[in-house]
Amino acid sequence: MGAAPSITTPRRRRRAVPWVFLGLWIVVLALASPFAAKLSDVQKDRPVDYLPASADSTEVAKIQDQLPGGEATELVLVYHRDGGLTPADRETAGKQIAEIAGAHKLVAEPKGVPSKDGTTLMYPVASTEPGQDEEKRDALVNDVRDVARDEGGLSVDVGGGGAFDTDASEVYNALGGPLLYTTAGVVALLLILIYRSPFLWLVPLAVAGVADYFAMAAAYGLNQAFGTSVSGQSSGIMTILVFGAGTDYALLLVARYREELRRIEQPYDAMVAALRGCGPAVLASSGTVAAGLLCLLAADLNSSRGMGPLGTVGVLSALVAMLTLLPAVLVLLGRRVFWPLIPAYGSAPKQRRSLFAAMGSSAGRRPFTVLASGAVLLGALALGAFNLPGSLKQEDSFTKTPDSVAAMETLAAAYPERGTQPITVMTPAGDALGALAEIRGTKGVVGAEKGRTAKGWTEISVLASSAPETPGETATIKALRDGLDGSYVGGSSAQQLDLKDTNSRDRALVVPLVLAAVLLVLVALLRSLVAPLLLLAAVVAVWGASLGIAGLVLEPLLGFEGTDPGLGLLSFVFLVALGVDYGIFLMHRMREESLKGAEPGAAALTALRTTGGVIASAGLVLAATFAVLTNMPLVQLVELGFVIAVGVLLDTFLVRTYLVTSASVALGRKVWWPGPLSRPRPAAPAAPEADRVRVPSP
């Protein structure tokens, strides 16, 4: 009787631990709920929230915010009739403009500018009513659109920077719900196919949902504490990462847990063994992703710099949930959660000739041939990157044509000889007259007018002789910046130019930082230099091949006229950080087998055979979550989702299975250099003759 407490007490404690974790998560969610609901309130999608922190166009936007009325909302009303405008059309346009001027405070009286062919009449309109308030800006644009209606064959479109920002904002604000539901649906479908269980798939999916809710609260906290920018793009990517990376961690943990349940009777003990086995790999995996994403803090581009902390919050939230809440729920549900494929204690899994065993065998027989063939294939695919279209223009940013883009297209066709989108110059008020004369004398400028003066600055609106976002207008913007001392040149076209230039600088700075950060984490985990360098070389090759495939698809097949300037940097960060995940899963298991005494070749093939299925499942889930972005209405999101999804699939089914395994077999123990595993094991001493025991044959 006296021994009973010593046996039952540990059991009771083991039973209590999962309930403790479950209770803690309920408390955490209750505390986080008010903050998670406020994340959408701090989401900003104004151009200044995406612009480079140190660029001229950013300074212009900041100064405009200080002027009376704040940043002006610039619109262009475009009246068009294919056969030529009639007097009645011009009268209709005049009435609509008068109604708009009577209802809103405009910066100046609108003046119509007819096209040379007589088919189009444009009215530039600017108002400071909305200031920095996005809701007021959208209300102004929508009110103007309500007044400017088509009549009797006369088409009326509202364009300009303000209208474009409103259309983009509506898209970003609409991303949250569809993106979350579509991502959850895709993950649910894949988990059902992977687990072949009517219940098991619900557990990791529900835990991922909890992690996403917690990440939203944490992201709001970062915004309030440190001013971290939150945009529709960054919050959407955060959700993708929570579900994608979180499900990957769940797949690895559940697979190891199922394995341990066959040899350990109690679910609690089996889960402890599973966490000890795969926990280091999951921690290192999340560490590489977090380290890579945090390198984006060094970027000058506001949108990239804000995405780093939010992405890190998403990955770490998924990690914490999958290593605490998921194990607790699985232990409480017991073996029955795996029904109908319940792993019975003492049973052995069915031995089947798996695809990955066959792939490993072929890689093991001819490692150099496989490695060379794969390298040639990836190199050939990477050549397609030279076919990528140029920088994405504003009018090409939507997969469907909104009103603002239709207006820009009409203007480009009707006014090929002049600019239709003003360039904004902010100059010190004391030098305004001299600056105005300098601007009017600049090559490529057809007109310049003084605007508001306040806070020591004067706003000058400039029209170029070239169409927006053309080489001619770009040359004009650069000439203005070179010729005006102490002034700033901004506006929509200048913003696009700054985005392109800053992305190039950020890429040169952030890419080496990401490689160094990921390399340090891999060296610490694998205790080797060769294996981490092998994994990094593999993911860089995957990135190049993915961009090459994009070059063969985006414009020729999908009809996209340009690529987002940030595509190269963001796809690199995500593919390197996320792609190394699968290398960690494989190499960590390979190292585990080597520590048990397996020869390098056998260890590599065993690691592939045991983790190949999990890596394939995880890769499919991660690729599918990013592929959800290809259904979004913004071209930059479609391009990013396509490149990452293709890269993950290449990494999963070619690089990890064939190339990394082949390289490991070819290198042998050198793959672990300079660690202790790189040195041959000393031969065991032969047993003395007297100690040998003769075992009779049956």
Side-chain angles (χ1 to χ4, degrees):
M1 295 294 293
S6 64
I7 297 175
T8 58
T9 300
R11 289 182 180 176
R12 290 174 181 171
R13 288 176 180 170
R14 288 199 295 268
R15 292 173 183 171
V17 169
W19 288 108
V20 170
F21 277 108
L22 188 61
L24 285 174
W25 269 101
I26 292 174
V27 173
V28 167
L29 288 180
L31 295 175
S33 182
F35 305 106
K38 294 180 180 179
L39 183 63
S40 60
D41 297 337
V42 298
Q43 178 178 311
K44 301 294 182 184
D45 289 297
R46 295 188 307 158
V48 71
D49 299 309
Y50 288 81
L51 289 175
S54 60
D56 260 30
S57 55
T58 309
E59 294 298 327
V60 168
K62 290 179 180 178
I63 295 171
Q64 284 181 321
D65 287 342
Q66 301 172 14
L67 297 179
E71 184 179 0
T73 299
E74 296 177 340
L75 305 174
V76 180
L77 280 74
V78 183
Y79 296 87
H80 176 81
R81 186 184 290 273
D82 289 335
L85 295 172
T86 65
D89 293 337
R90 293 184 175 87
E91 184 179 353
T92 298
K95 289 180 179 179
Q96 291 184 356
I97 293 297
E99 183 178 349
I100 292 170
H104 300 282
K105 183 180 179 181
L106 304 183
V107 173
E109 181 182 353
K111 297 179 180 180
V113 181
S115 64
K116 288 183 178 180
D117 60 6
T119 63
T120 309
L121 179 65
M122 73 169 178
Y123 278 91
V125 173
S127 173
T128 58
E129 278 182 359
Q132 303 178 47
D133 194 310
E134 291 183 46
E135 292 184 2
K136 290 182 179 179
R137 178 203 65 198
D138 296 344
L140 169 67
V141 172
N142 292 327
D143 186 53
V144 170
R145 284 174 171 168
D146 289 340
V147 174
R149 299 182 301 272
D150 296 355
E151 287 192 19
L154 173 68
S155 67
V156 186
D157 294 314
V158 179
F164 183 88
D165 294 341
T166 293
D167 291 337
S169 178
E170 288 178 357
V171 170
Y172 278 120
N173 291 334
L175 284 181
L179 187 64
L180 175 61
Y181 304 143
T182 307
T183 302
V186 168
V187 171
L189 177 61
L190 289 174
L191 288 177
I192 292 172
L193 295 175
I194 291 168
Y195 287 139
R196 291 172 290 170
S197 168
F199 308 112
L200 182 56
W201 65 274
L202 283 167
V203 180
L205 184 65
V207 173
V210 170
D212 184 51
Y213 199 68
F214 177 72
M216 292 169 63
Y220 177 79
L222 283 178
N223 174 269
Q224 296 300 298
F226 304 104
T228 302
S229 61
V230 180
S231 65
Q233 185 183 49
S234 61
S235 60
I237 295 294
M238 183 183 73
T239 295
I240 292 285
L241 284 173
V242 170
F243 278 88
T247 306
D248 281 3
Y249 304 151
L251 286 168
L252 188 67
L253 177 63
V254 171
R256 192 63 178 259
Y257 178 51
R258 187 198 296 265
E259 185 180 326
E260 299 296 342
L261 281 173
R262 297 184 185 279
R263 65 183 194 87
I264 299 177
E265 183 177 6
Q266 295 298 324
Y268 178 89
D269 298 327
M271 180 58 73
V272 171
L275 287 170
R276 286 174 178 169
C278 68
V282 172
L283 287 171
S285 169
S286 60
T288 57
V289 179
L293 290 174
L294 285 177
C295 291
L296 286 172
L297 287 171
D300 189 35
L301 201 64
N302 284 335
S303 56
S304 297
R305 194 169 62 249
M307 190 177 294
L310 259 66
T312 302
V313 161
V315 170
L316 295 182
S317 298
L319 171 72
V320 173
M322 294 304 170
L323 291 186
T324 57
L325 180 59
L326 178 63
V329 175
L330 288 175
V331 170
L332 291 174
L333 293 174
R335 297 175 186 269
R336 58 185 176 272
V337 74
F338 290 93
W339 186 88
L341 304 175
I342 298 176
Y345 171 58
S347 65
K350 293 182 179 179
Q351 297 297 325
R352 294 181 295 182
R353 179 67 174 173
S354 70
L355 170 65
F356 296 99
M359 297 172 76
S361 298
S362 63
R365 285 194 301 269
R366 300 181 182 85
F368 290 102
T369 303
V370 171
L371 190 59
S373 301
V376 169
L377 175 60
L378 290 176
L381 290 174
L383 293 176
F386 292 105
N387 195 47
L388 284 169
S391 295
L392 189 69
K393 295 182 179 180
Q394 278 191 325
E395 63 262 31
D396 300 324
S397 297
F398 299 91
T399 56
K400 298 179 181 178
T401 305
D403 196 28
S404 59
V405 173
M408 295 168 74
E409 292 174 348
T410 302
L411 290 173
Y415 301 88
E417 77 287 349
R418 61 167 296 162
T420 56
Q421 192 165 265
I423 301 168
T424 303
V425 176
M426 302 301 302
T427 191
D431 301 329
L433 293 178
L436 187 61
E438 179 74 22
I439 291 169
R440 287 172 174 168
T442 301
K443 182 179 179 181
V445 173
V446 296
E449 299 294 337
K450 285 177 59 178
R452 296 170 291 173
T453 297
K455 303 288 186 180
W457 293 94
T458 295
E459 182 181 55
I460 300 175
S461 182
V462 182
L463 276 179
S465 60
S466 302
E469 298 184 56
T470 59
E473 190 198 41
T474 299
T476 302
I477 292 172
K478 290 181 178 180
L480 289 171
R481 287 177 171 175
D482 292 338
L484 296 172
D485 293 330
S487 300
Y488 299 104
V489 180
S492 297
S493 296
Q495 291 170 2
Q496 294 300 108
L497 178 62
D498 290 336
L499 287 173
K500 180 182 177 181
D501 293 343
T502 306
N503 268 298
S504 298
R505 293 197 301 270
D506 286 349
R507 191 162 55 244
L509 174 63
V510 174
V511 164
L513 287 177
V514 172
L515 291 174
V518 172
L519 180 63
L520 289 176
V521 175
L522 290 176
V523 169
L525 173 71
L526 301 176
R527 300 172 192 176
S528 162
L529 284 177
V530 175
L533 289 173
L534 172 63
L535 294 180
L536 278 184
V539 293
V540 171
V542 166
W543 173 66
S546 303
L547 287 179
I549 294 174
L552 301 175
V553 172
L554 294 182
E555 186 176 22
L557 297 182
L558 300 182
F560 293 160
E561 298 294 331
T563 54
D564 180 57
L567 178 64
L569 175 61
L570 293 181
S571 62
F572 178 85
V573 171
F574 284 116
L575 280 178
V576 169
L578 295 170
V580 166
D581 275 12
Y582 305 128
I584 289 175
F585 297 161
L586 181 68
M587 298 296 281
H588 184 265
R589 189 59 181 260
M590 193 185 306
R591 189 173 187 277
E592 197 176 323
E593 295 297 326
S594 298
L595 288 172
K596 293 178 182 178
E599 289 300 315
L605 298 180
T606 300
L608 178 60
R609 187 178 64 252
T610 54
T611 65
V614 177
I615 290 177
S617 301
L620 284 172
V621 170
L622 188 62
T625 53
F626 273 97
V628 169
L629 291 176
T630 62
N631 195 40
M632 297 296 109
L634 287 172
V635 170
Q636 52 262 47
L637 293 182
V638 174
E639 292 176 341
L640 183 64
F642 177 83
V643 171
I644 295 178
V646 168
V648 169
L649 292 176
L650 275 177
D651 191 68
T652 303
F653 293 101
L654 174 63
V655 174
R656 294 293 154 242
T657 49
Y658 270 126
L659 302 191
V660 172
T661 303
S662 299
S664 301
V665 173
L667 290 170
R669 293 189 180 278
K670 294 178 183 178
V671 77
W672 302 115
W673 186 87
L677 288 176
S678 64
R679 295 184 287 273
R681 289 178 174 272
E689 188 72 24
D691 294 340
R692 293 180 182 175
V693 179
R694 182 178 179 84
V695 180
S697 300

